[in-house]
Amino acid sequence: MTARPRLAILLAGLAAAAFLTWPGISINREGKWRTFLAGFQLQRETGDFIGGPRTLIHFHVLDGRPGRVRFTIAPRIEGDEIEVEISGSAGVLQIVRAREWVEVEVPINESRDLELILKATAASNPRPLRLSRLRIDRQNTTGSLARSLLPMLLGGLCFGLLSFRESKRQAGSFALFVVAASAWFVAAASDPVRILSLPTTVGEALPLVIAFGFATAGLRGAGSRSALMALVGVSVSLHLETVHSGFVYDDRLWARPWTLPELASTFLGSEDPRGISGDQYRPIPSLTHAVDHAVWGSSSFAFHGTNLALHATSAFLLFLLLQRLRLPRGPALLGALTLAVHPLAASSIGWISERTDTLTDIFMLATLLFFLGPNGARTMRLLGVGLLALWSKETAVMLPVLATLFAFLTLDAEQRRTRFAALRALFGLVFLYVAVWVSLFPEKTVGRLQATAATLQSEQSGWTALYGSLFGQLFHPTGYETWRATREGAPALWVVLAFGLGIASLLASVLDSARATPWRLVASGLAFSALVVLPFRGHDAVDVYRLGHTPTVGFGLVVAGLATILTCLAPWRELALAASLLVYFGPVARETSAAWGYPGFQFRMALRFNLENPAFLAGLTPEMKQDLERESLLVAHRDEPLKIPFEP
């Protein structure tokens, strides 16, 4: 029985390898040509690109294979003569004079970046240049051939892991899908220019289609392995492009060599021993940054990859927690899927520094799993994992409150009684942590208290604005940039809606005793989201998009409870709800992730902030300073040609 699936995986893997090693890529009007061309406008009638006297062809997403870039240029007006000076990082490469179409060829070395500046002059025309047939041809290398076999290997691994617990047919189908999806993943991770060259509709729709395929396979599965693979697949489908986002804001402070004394000092003081970043007591994130750098060096690709893996891990732990709450497998997976796809969780993937939230959620969920499990009365294990949560971010001070909430949600009186000692110890740990935090940062504590007192009376930063913005973006996310521009007008309607839904679900739990647990879970999830933003109320405003990963865990509980009530164990209803979640949240989540990478709005804001901060610049390594200078030149080169007005 296993011979046929293995043969199918082999054939599918060879087809994926052929796709990944295909040497030629064409850039035309159908793809994201604006990513590669600056200073050009599309002539819709012919599909050619019309350029001004200074234009830019730039590839910053190549895979390092040698090859060549080819394109044809001609005067915009037939009969004119045009002179084009083509220069790169090494200076002028060639000068082309043309009265008609001329093909230009520029070699590519093993770099991932290529910039070609085209200076065009003509007798009389503000937009003298016409460009078409832009194509990249590359040679295959040992590394590219090895990468092309990854989909086949991942498909085989998937089949091997699933075939022990599920039917061979189901395991084989999942494995074949993994091969196809992995071909897209490998291309997006190692050769994104191939993905960006595809028609825009394909590039935007296919990640959602792949995510739905993983969600479907996970819902049709029977064990935790298929659920884990589904959540990893969905997370990667939506957020894989973040691996090319680079460093933003304070990311460069962490991607550096760490000494053991520096790491030890983070357990006794600030997360940044050099004092450049703000005072925060978060040793675990600093430890993960140090490990990342020790293993991968200053590779933003690897740091973002770690963030993506942590995000998928948190979604899987939410799935396990929901199953421990005795929810059916399908609704539990749908609740975890909500965390994987929600836009408020996306910033913790796109911004390396914000892995603090994901780490906190991982350890908070693990603590709740231990607390609600058969060994929940074992105090030391509970305190150990809880301490890791507190060492990740201050949000975890709400952990004993959340544990109490879940104890009353799922445990009977006898089980709660056996956990009173563990719960008291958890409260004691939090009080000790707060005392240590205040002693470490007394000035910041006073500032937080003063800011809280001042903003409680503010119409723009008070409780209604906070929870209106929070629940508004949880239920109906608008996108990070849109929210940032309109957040002062957060309606109180969302607070009323969330409060009304919570009260209604509690009443329903009394009237519908057979489904009391999922009804109470809806109210508990809303309370979870409201509670975990309280530790940050001392700020003059709360950025719900930047700090939204943890509240989204609560929203996943809400969706899981509602899914249990609505789906009634009907598979088609679960699939319909999964599709709805992906269609509703997926595009906005991808948009939020992209905001942190070039040329997203957060990327540009961060670049300006970094360049205007002398203390920050002084703390960078020479390598990081070079990287920052490259980014500033990239933005300048890209924007300069676009300042020339387009004249049709």
Side-chain angles (χ1 to χ4, degrees):
M1 284 293 293
T2 60
R4 288 183 180 179
R6 293 184 187 281
L7 178 60
I9 293 169
L10 175 63
L11 295 176
L14 293 176
F19 165 74
L20 292 171
T21 55
W22 195 263
I25 299 172
S26 294
I27 312 296
N28 56 40
R29 64 191 300 172
E30 301 298 327
K32 293 187 176 181
W33 58 270
R34 289 182 179 84
T35 305
F36 312 108
L37 300 175
F40 286 94
Q41 296 286 344
L42 175 65
Q43 189 176 59
R44 299 190 179 279
E45 296 82 5
T46 64
D48 298 333
F49 301 104
I50 306 302
R54 179 183 171 89
T55 54
L56 181 68
I57 301 175
H58 57 112
F59 296 98
H60 299 279
V61 284
L62 296 172
D63 65 349
R65 284 186 281 170
R68 57 186 180 176
V69 173
R70 295 189 299 174
F71 52 91
T72 58
I73 56 176
R76 181 185 175 190
I77 305 299
E78 188 175 352
D80 278 1
E81 182 176 11
I82 189 173
E83 179 177 290
V84 183
E85 177 186 283
I86 304 172
S87 23
S89 57
V92 177
L93 300 176
Q94 53 183 295
I95 297 175
V96 179
R97 293 181 177 86
R99 289 182 176 272
E100 56 185 17
W101 288 108
V102 174
E103 184 174 64
V104 179
E105 183 176 305
V106 178
I108 305 174
N109 57 22
E110 296 181 356
S111 171
R112 295 185 64 87
D113 301 317
L114 175 68
E115 287 189 0
L116 299 176
I117 299 174
L118 279 62
K119 296 179 180 178
T121 56
S124 59
N125 200 317
R127 290 269 172 173
L129 180 64
R130 183 188 296 268
L131 180 145
S132 72
R133 299 176 187 172
L134 178 58
R135 181 179 174 84
I136 303 174
D137 291 300
R138 292 163 301 171
Q139 306 169 13
N140 280 313
T141 62
T142 303
S144 66
L145 292 174
R147 284 196 303 268
S148 71
L149 298 178
L150 282 175
M152 184 192 306
L153 296 176
L154 290 173
L157 178 62
C158 171
F159 179 75
L161 291 174
L162 294 181
S163 58
F164 289 105
R165 297 293 181 88
E166 304 186 21
S167 69
K168 296 295 188 293
R169 181 177 180 180
Q170 198 160 347
S173 300
F174 201 159
L176 285 175
F177 178 76
V178 167
V179 173
S182 297
W184 176 269
F185 294 161
V186 172
S190 65
D191 191 18
V193 68
R194 182 180 297 278
I195 302 301
L196 294 171
S197 67
L198 295 174
T200 303
T201 52
V202 174
E204 292 176 352
L206 199 53
L208 297 177
V209 173
I210 293 175
F212 179 67
F214 275 109
T216 302
L219 288 170
R220 294 183 62 187
S224 59
R225 291 183 182 181
S226 58
L228 173 60
M229 291 179 189
L231 292 169
V232 170
V234 169
S235 300
V236 173
S237 300
L238 296 179
H239 301 292
L240 182 59
E241 293 176 7
T242 60
V243 298
H244 304 292
S245 293
F247 297 109
V248 294
Y249 281 124
D250 56 346
D251 287 348
R252 291 181 174 85
L253 297 179
W254 318 118
R256 62 177 180 84
W258 288 72
T259 64
L260 288 177
E262 281 182 324
L263 282 177
S265 72
T266 62
F267 289 88
L268 303 172
S270 174
E271 62 178 348
D272 182 12
R274 300 176 301 173
I276 301 172
S277 179
D279 289 330
Q280 306 287 359
Y281 185 49
R282 301 169 183 173
I284 297 300
S286 297
L287 180 61
T288 65
H289 292 312
V291 172
D292 264 348
H293 189 277
V295 176
W296 309 108
S298 301
S299 167
S300 61
F301 184 102
F303 277 79
H304 281 293
T306 300
N307 276 25
L308 188 53
L310 292 172
H311 175 66
T313 302
S314 66
F316 180 63
L317 287 174
L318 178 57
F319 166 77
L320 295 179
L321 177 64
L322 289 166
Q323 285 209 305
R324 181 146 291 177
L325 297 175
R326 298 190 294 277
L327 263 64
R329 184 181 181 280
L333 186 56
L334 288 169
L337 182 68
T338 302
L339 176 59
V341 306
H342 201 285
L344 287 195
S347 290
S348 293
I349 309 168
W351 184 19
I352 292 169
S353 297
E354 199 58 20
R355 70 171 56 168
T356 51
D357 286 46
T358 323
L359 286 165
T360 307
D361 293 345
I362 287 172
F363 294 123
M364 286 174 64
L365 290 168
T367 304
L368 293 173
L369 277 167
F370 283 132
F371 179 71
L372 299 175
N375 297 319
R378 294 187 178 180
T379 303
M380 295 309 297
R381 177 185 295 183
L382 196 68
L383 293 181
V385 184
L387 183 60
L388 294 176
L390 291 165
W391 277 346
S392 297
K393 197 168 185 177
E394 297 84 351
T395 318
V397 297
M398 303 309 299
L399 190 52
V401 179
L402 298 174
T404 304
L405 183 69
F406 280 102
F408 282 96
L409 174 68
T410 61
L411 302 178
D412 57 34
E414 177 59 26
Q415 290 174 321
R416 289 197 295 269
R417 189 189 64 77
T418 61
R419 286 163 173 78
F420 280 158
L423 201 54
R424 285 195 299 268
L426 199 55
F427 272 104
L429 176 66
V430 168
F431 284 130
L432 178 61
Y433 166 84
V434 171
V436 171
W437 200 96
V438 170
S439 67
L440 290 174
F441 313 118
E443 294 181 1
K444 188 165 186 175
T445 303
V446 173
R448 285 275 187 96
L449 293 174
Q450 291 174 342
T452 301
T455 57
L456 285 178
Q457 307 302 322
S458 170
E459 294 182 359
Q460 296 182 352
S461 303
W463 295 104
T464 302
L466 169 64
Y467 284 117
S469 182
L470 174 65
F471 287 114
Q473 296 306 312
L474 281 173
F475 283 100
H476 181 59
T478 58
Y480 200 170
E481 189 169 10
T482 303
W483 171 83
R484 196 176 188 91
T486 60
R487 66 184 185 274
E488 292 181 356
L493 175 64
W494 292 108
V495 180
V496 176
L497 175 64
F499 185 77
L501 179 59
I503 295 297
S505 62
L506 289 176
L507 291 174
S509 69
V510 176
L511 300 174
D512 186 7
S513 58
R515 295 183 293 186
T517 297
W519 281 119
R520 288 200 298 265
L521 188 60
V522 174
S524 300
L526 294 169
F528 188 111
S529 298
L531 288 168
V532 293
V533 298
L534 290 180
F536 298 98
R537 197 63 200 92
H539 292 288
D540 58 351
V542 177
D543 188 335
V544 298
Y545 260 95
R546 200 174 70 180
L547 305 171
H549 196 282
T550 308
T552 307
V553 174
F555 191 67
L557 300 173
V558 174
V559 172
L562 293 175
T564 305
I565 297 163
L566 296 174
T567 58
C568 300
L569 303 180
W572 70 267
R573 294 182 183 178
E574 294 176 351
L575 291 176
L577 187 52
S580 300
L581 289 170
L582 286 164
V583 171
Y584 189 53
F585 292 133
V588 188
R590 285 171 53 79
E591 175 191 329
T592 303
S593 294
W596 295 94
Y598 174 81
F601 87 101
Q602 276 287 11
F603 175 91
R604 289 169 176 268
M605 286 176 55
L607 182 62
R608 186 167 61 248
F609 172 82
N610 291 156
L611 293 173
E612 296 173 357
N613 191 334
F616 172 82
L617 293 173
L620 296 182
T621 64
E623 182 182 14
M624 284 297 175
K625 287 180 180 177
Q626 257 186 353
D627 185 60
L628 189 62
E629 290 172 3
R630 182 189 66 82
E631 285 184 355
S632 61
L633 288 174
L634 172 62
V635 171
H637 284 175
R638 186 180 189 277
D639 289 347
E640 182 184 353
L642 294 177
K643 295 177 182 177
I644 303 169
F646 173 56
E647 298 181 11

